[in-house]
Amino acid sequence: MENYVRLLNQFPEIVCASFSEIEDWWISKVRLHFAGEGPKFSLDSGKSVKASLQDLFRQSTDIQKNSGGTHYVGAMLQHLVGAKL
């Protein structure tokens, strides 16, 4: 991070002119990081297996929409098939 700040300080005219763009770029990276954490599964004895799987697929679909091309739903299906085998 110190190297990054040193680099930005070498070009104050660029940083001042485009600070909001730099900030937007970092915000998008943070959002991708938190979107990439994966779905959360909680065991609920009141839910059926079907409802639990639907919840996992819904979460995977939501994560996939914000992932920039990564196929989370397909990976989830592969893991579930592997677990079943």
Side-chain angles (χ1 to χ4, degrees):
M1 189 57 151
E2 291 173 356
N3 291 337
Y4 180 68
V5 171
R6 260 189 244 113
L7 175 71
L8 291 177
N9 286 333
Q10 290 177 3
F11 305 101
E13 66 283 348
I14 294 173
V15 173
C16 291
S18 61
F19 184 73
S20 64
E21 291 176 19
I22 294 170
E23 185 179 34
D24 290 342
W25 185 84
W26 279 110
I27 289 170
S28 72
K29 295 302 175 189
V30 169
R31 285 184 179 149
L32 279 176
H33 169 75
F34 285 113
E37 286 189 9
K40 307 290 187 265
F41 180 79
S42 60
L43 184 60
D44 183 359
S45 60
K47 287 170 72 174
S48 67
V49 173
K50 179 180 178 180
S52 296
L53 289 175
Q54 285 175 335
D55 184 47
L56 280 175
F57 289 130
R58 182 193 50 76
Q59 289 181 52
S60 297
T61 302
D62 292 344
I63 293 169
Q64 184 171 306
K65 288 178 186 175
N66 300 318
S67 69
T70 305
H71 299 284
Y72 285 97
V73 177
M76 175 72 67
L77 286 168
Q78 289 177 348
H79 285 283
L80 290 172
V81 168
K84 178 67 177 168
L85 293 176

